[in-house]
Amino acid sequence: MSGGTFVGMPAFPEAAHEAVGNTTLRANLRHATHTIRDKRARAVAELDDWAELRAAGRRVKDHTLRHLDRYLVQLEESVVRAGGTVHWAADADEANRIVTDLVKATGESEVVKVKSMATQEIGLNEALEAEGIHAYETDLAELIVQLGRDRPSHILVPAIHRNRGEIRDIFAKEMAGWGRPAPEGLTDTPAELAEAARLHLREKFLRAKVGISGANFMVAETGTLVVVESEGNGRMCLTLPETLISVVGIEKLVPTWRDLEVFLQTLPRSSTAERMNPYTSMWTGTTDSDTADGPSTFHLVLLDNGRTDTLADEVGRQALRCIRCSACLNVCPVYERAGGHAYGSVYPGPIGAILSPQLRGTQSEIDASLPYASSLCGACYEVCPVAIDIPEVLVHLRERVVQGGEATRHGTKVMLKPAKGHAAERAAMRAAGLVFARPGALRAGQRLASRTRRLHPRTLPGPGRAWSATRELPKVPAEPFRDWWQRTQGARSKGKGNDA
Amino acid sequence: MRVALFLTCVNDTLYPDTGRAVVKLLTRLGVEVDFPMAQTCCGQAHYNTGYRHQAEPLARHFSDVFGSDAYDAIVTPSGSCGAMVRELYPRMGERARAEGRGDGLARTLAPVVPKTYELTEFLVDVLGVTDVGAYYPHKVTYHPTCHGLRSLGLGERPTRLLRAVKGLELVELPGAEECCGFGGTFAVKNSDVSAAMGTDKVRHAESTGADVLCAADNSCLMHISGTAARLRTAVRPVHIAEILASTEEEPLS
């Protein structure tokens, strides 16, 4: 794995091929996802009103998205009133430029970061590095990913694809290059690994003058930002540095403080299967006293980067309800086998399969393949705490890939052409459509198949090869059902088209 | 009661035994069964692969064939094709309306939607039977297919029917609610992942010691069966209709 970017990723099936064949990776993923999915089910079952909470979360998010313009302006006013500065970023480049300039203005060349999907989405660390600014990830799993020059493969547990032995090797080999080295004779026990990370990170926390964060929620009425986490490293990033820069997607908004009551119940139970997460940090603007905790300078960068375009799509916009709990990843049979890297995005799994092709468009090979990275089993929809009908959006995006059609890109309505490589499939679908439109044609085809059944090959050519490589083909029967029906019961039949 | 059998194009072409079993079973229960010969395909493969506009004529055709007042119900031995009609036909109507094409499609599809039942649903909810007088002396494990489980919400209906079958020992399938990996064109487009999922499903079935893996959808069974054959396992995939149709006088061969 190189860098942290996903540019030039192959299509999902090729990317998944490697993961499916990697038995260590599959064992790591299987163990982790099954453990967390069982725990989640128990944590959710404890609440009698889960269905109501789920409906309420959906309602709050839908309402906010419908009036997003109004609430964003309200948020800006609230943040400014609290002493913060608000910046608007239309895309990744603009957001990176704003943050880089803000860090440069402090005269610092090091920043500490609390795990943030938004800054990974825009490739902030790479942009900062290009300007001579070192960004240190402080979330334990993000640290593992950063030290391993790896990419995150899960929303909540970015290093889910690594086991303890691999983590020990990364720490022992790489920590010295980034700061305090790993202790001599480090073993792979969780306590020793955590202690090594703690010592390594503490130096960073105490030295850094600038912190960079994302946020799980922003409250429009008060200008408050919320980070929900397990380790407390995020709180160190939020309270120790003098300058705090938060980069947050515009969809992370809720109108009122009270709305948090829903999500602070559904998010931890859905993500870590906890009744309440260990650390919930909330901050509003700047502190004006030397003795108070928290930054004296606060910047909020509001990130669009495809979100307004997504909002314009009537079926696809529900993806913006996502609260990044990762329950859909943990329950997805495809994610479990393919691993997070195959999705070619900071957002893997079912939610990534509908979010990335909307945020980035469906032009690239990987983005055009993501809507097909699902068997449409529906387990993701069932567990989603904000009821995103992921299968519905997947099918909607498949339509966009194979047929093109209207979409919004950079605020303008465009007519998309069908993606390349679907011509044969389109022809096959059309041919099937023609046959199915004429019962007589279907019957003729069935009879031909029956008559030639002894000549059928054991393997299929073309795309069908993928089937016969791993599965036996079904045998065509001597007589299709409709012929049997007509031969034995035809006289009884009064249905339409019986002369077909 | 007079029902139209919506057999599905897959069953008609590749699994006629399932269709014969449904006819035998429903006739035994006093239901008059008709097979409208003009039926073809519900359009699910088109719809789910992204060819919604090609699926629309097939949905209209379905309505033409099955919309007759002469039928009290439309019964299908397939959870996924049943879900296509019940869940996705209304959605197709809504989308056509949202695209400014009026509510013609919605009106055309409306009569068939509430009348369509998956077989086990029809037996339990409409006929009100759980003991269908079947005899099947085998150790059976049941795989609840995704569309039956999550789109139609079949719940306990299939297992209640199976438990009432004389001689049948029902054993629980580990990871039962996990997808088998078929997913229509998914099986071809993402063959590696699909095969890995299918292999796990077969291994789970094997671990129960059952000699038969039963489900209410031949599409999933086709994938599982093809995988089982390649893995040379002893578990035999059988459609639930064939088990329910089996009697002491005429046992399933």
Side-chain angles (χ1 to χ4, degrees):
Chain A
M1 301 296 155
S2 66
T5 60
F6 296 96
V7 177
M9 279 285 297
F12 184 84
E14 289 95 274
H17 174 77
E18 197 186 330
V20 170
N22 182 338
T23 48
T24 307
L25 174 65
R26 270 184 71 185
N28 292 352
L29 281 170
R30 182 177 171 77
H31 175 73
T33 56
H34 280 254
T35 306
I36 188 83
R37 85 168 66 151
D38 294 345
K39 279 172 70 183
R40 187 213 74 97
R42 283 197 297 275
V44 164
E46 282 181 356
L47 293 184
D48 296 334
D49 59 348
W50 183 259
E52 285 85 357
L53 280 169
R54 186 173 186 247
R58 174 193 176 143
R59 216 161 39 235
V60 170
K61 281 284 183 182
D62 277 349
H63 169 82
T64 314
L65 291 169
R66 199 174 307 125
H67 305 288
L68 194 60
D69 51 348
R70 176 153 63 83
Y71 286 123
L72 282 170
V73 170
Q74 189 189 6
L75 173 78
E76 180 176 36
E77 287 165 1
S78 305
V79 170
V80 170
R81 202 181 313 125
T85 309
V86 175
H87 309 261
W88 299 82
D91 56 23
D93 287 346
E94 192 175 5
N96 286 332
R97 199 163 56 242
I98 291 168
V99 176
T100 309
D101 289 347
L102 288 171
V103 177
K104 277 184 175 169
T106 65
E108 295 295 319
S109 59
E110 284 183 0
V111 300
V112 286
K113 287 184 69 199
V114 39
K115 174 178 178 291
S116 149
M117 306 299 293
T119 61
Q120 273 169 6
E121 176 189 324
I122 61 177
L124 178 65
N125 289 10
E126 292 74 16
L128 289 172
E129 199 63 45
E131 297 287 332
I133 300 162
H134 306 297
Y136 297 113
E137 294 291 348
T138 66
D139 173 89
L140 179 55
E142 282 299 340
L143 176 71
I144 295 163
V145 168
Q146 186 173 46
L147 293 177
R149 294 182 194 81
D150 200 351
R151 287 191 299 248
S153 68
H154 189 279
I155 287 174
L156 186 77
V157 200
I160 195 170
H161 55 290
R162 299 289 198 186
N163 61 34
R164 293 190 330 220
E166 292 174 297
I167 294 166
R168 191 214 74 89
D169 294 345
I170 291 170
F171 279 10
K173 186 159 162 261
E174 303 291 345
M175 267 184 175
W178 290 78
R180 184 184 174 114
E184 286 288 321
L186 179 67
T187 74
D188 68 354
T189 61
E192 277 196 39
L193 295 174
E195 184 60 15
R198 191 197 315 274
L199 294 169
H200 179 82
L201 288 172
R202 184 138 302 183
E203 287 187 359
K204 303 273 188 286
F205 287 133
L206 293 174
R207 200 168 62 205
K209 297 278 190 287
V210 181
I212 295 181
S213 85
N216 292 93
F217 304 101
M218 306 185 285
V219 182
E221 67 172 355
T222 56
T224 302
L225 274 72
V226 184
V227 158
V228 173
E229 48 147 355
S230 297
E231 298 167 6
N233 295 346
R235 182 167 291 177
M236 304 278 257
C237 291
L238 297 167
T239 50
L240 289 174
E242 292 163 8
T243 300
L244 175 62
I245 304 167
S246 300
V247 183
V248 190
I250 53 174
E251 83 285 13
K252 293 289 183 88
L253 201 55
V254 293
T256 69
W257 185 268
R258 172 130 195 213
D259 295 319
L260 294 173
E261 76 175 318
V262 177
F263 302 109
L264 292 183
Q265 293 181 77
T266 53
L267 178 55
R269 281 180 201 262
S270 301
S271 57
T272 49
E274 291 168 303
R275 293 174 184 139
M276 187 74 210
N277 47 284
Y279 293 87
T280 302
S281 303
M282 301 179 167
W283 68 102
T284 309
T286 55
T287 52
D288 50 9
S289 151
D290 289 345
T291 54
D293 284 341
S296 52
T297 307
F298 171 60
H299 294 277
L300 171 59
V301 182
L302 290 170
L303 177 72
D304 187 319
N305 207 33
R307 285 160 175 77
T308 312
D309 292 342
T310 305
L311 193 57
D313 190 292
E314 283 178 27
V315 179
R317 65 171 60 136
Q318 57 186 307
L320 296 178
R321 279 190 223 135
C322 176
I323 55 172
R324 312 280 189 266
C325 72
S326 69
C328 63
L329 278 64
N330 298 328
V331 80
C332 177
V334 176
Y335 175 88
E336 184 189 322
R337 273 90 184 177
H341 290 148
Y343 293 81
S345 156
V346 61
Y347 305 110
I351 185 64
I354 61 168
L355 200 52
S356 304
Q358 294 201 84
L359 296 179
R360 304 190 298 208
T362 45
Q363 282 76 18
S364 74
E365 206 183 349
I366 179 73
D367 286 316
S369 71
L370 286 178
Y372 294 94
S374 166
S375 64
L376 303 179
C377 83
C380 49
Y381 178 31
E382 194 173 57
V383 297
C384 178
V386 284
I388 301 169
D389 191 340
I390 294 175
E392 180 186 28
V393 182
L394 287 167
V395 170
H396 173 64
L397 293 174
R398 290 176 183 188
E399 192 178 322
R400 181 174 296 173
V401 169
V402 297
Q403 307 210 310
E406 199 174 72
T408 307
R409 296 308 299 160
H410 310 295
T412 311
K413 286 239 186 277
V414 292
M415 281 306 286
L416 296 176
K417 285 192 196 121
K420 287 189 194 112
H422 288 269
E425 177 187 279
R426 204 160 27 245
M429 285 291 174
R430 194 169 293 138
L434 290 173
V435 171
F436 289 137
R438 292 166 188 77
L442 173 61
R443 195 170 185 186
Q446 287 173 333
R447 283 182 174 163
L448 180 67
S450 291
R451 266 204 301 277
T452 57
R453 59 203 283 261
R454 307 210 183 280
L455 309 171
H456 290 182
R458 307 278 290 154
T459 55
L460 289 174
R465 195 195 311 273
W467 179 282
S468 50
T470 49
R471 287 150 291 203
E472 297 290 325
L473 290 165
K475 290 187 179 66
V476 175
E479 183 182 47
F481 177 85
R482 65 182 62 223
D483 283 3
W484 173 81
W485 175 270
Q486 195 161 48
R487 187 165 56 78
T488 59
Q489 336 247 335
R492 274 173 50 193
S493 195
K494 299 185 185 72
K496 205 176 156 182
N498 289 328
D499 50 345
Chain B
M1 175 158 322
R2 184 176 167 83
V3 306
L5 170 60
F6 161 40
L7 188 59
T8 84
C9 54
V10 170
N11 288 326
D12 179 10
T13 309
L14 294 172
Y15 300 99
D17 288 349
T18 299
R20 287 197 281 267
V22 177
V23 174
K24 180 178 162 190
L25 170 65
L26 291 180
T27 307
R28 190 171 82 217
L29 295 170
V31 177
E32 194 187 339
V33 183
D34 189 16
F35 178 83
M37 289 286 278
Q39 65 178 282
T40 55
C41 166
C42 63
Q44 189 194 179
H46 289 80
Y47 186 93
N48 279 346
T49 312
Y51 299 87
R52 176 168 57 96
H53 291 283
Q54 270 99 316
E56 281 184 12
L58 298 177
R60 284 179 194 278
H61 180 72
F62 183 94
S63 266
D64 282 350
V65 174
F66 289 99
S68 161
D69 289 339
Y71 302 124
D72 300 304
I74 302 155
V75 178
T76 180
S78 162
S80 72
C81 301
M84 176 69 192
V85 176
R86 282 250 299 279
E87 192 185 23
L88 300 179
Y89 278 11
R91 216 172 262 185
M92 288 167 83
E94 278 167 37
R95 287 285 289 158
R97 191 183 296 139
E99 288 168 2
R101 292 189 280 133
D103 54 4
L105 186 63
R107 269 209 312 273
T108 305
L109 301 181
V112 294
V113 174
K115 270 165 71 172
T116 301
Y117 296 89
E118 184 278 331
L119 175 67
T120 65
E121 235 180 2
F122 178 76
L123 294 172
V124 175
D125 296 0
V126 181
L127 296 187
V129 291
T130 46
D131 185 347
V132 296
Y135 170 74
Y136 191 68
H138 292 279
K139 194 170 176 181
V140 175
T141 191
Y142 174 72
H143 165 56
T145 61
C146 299
H147 287 113
L149 181 72
R150 300 193 183 90
S151 301
L152 293 179
L154 296 183
E156 299 283 304
R157 293 177 186 88
T159 45
R160 279 172 63 196
L161 288 160
L162 288 171
R163 274 182 227 285
V165 173
K166 213 171 138 195
L168 188 148
E169 184 194 349
L170 186 66
V171 289
E172 201 178 323
L173 179 67
E177 298 194 351
E178 281 176 36
C179 176
C180 70
F182 174 58
T185 47
F186 173 79
V188 175
K189 284 179 182 285
N190 279 287
S191 182
D192 291 322
V193 177
S194 166
M197 289 161 71
T199 300
D200 287 348
K201 183 59 73 180
V202 170
R203 295 296 184 215
H204 280 147
E206 241 175 358
S207 76
T208 65
D211 43 325
V212 167
L213 170 79
C214 149
D217 214 313
N218 273 329
S219 306
C220 310
L221 285 172
M222 174 174 70
H223 164 74
I224 296 171
S225 172
T227 309
R230 194 56 65 92
L231 295 173
R232 299 181 191 290
T233 173
V235 187
R236 197 158 45 98
V238 177
H239 193 285
I240 191 169
E242 295 173 46
I243 292 175
L244 298 178
S246 175
T247 57
E248 277 181 275
E249 298 75 38
E250 285 183 81
L252 178 64
S253 56

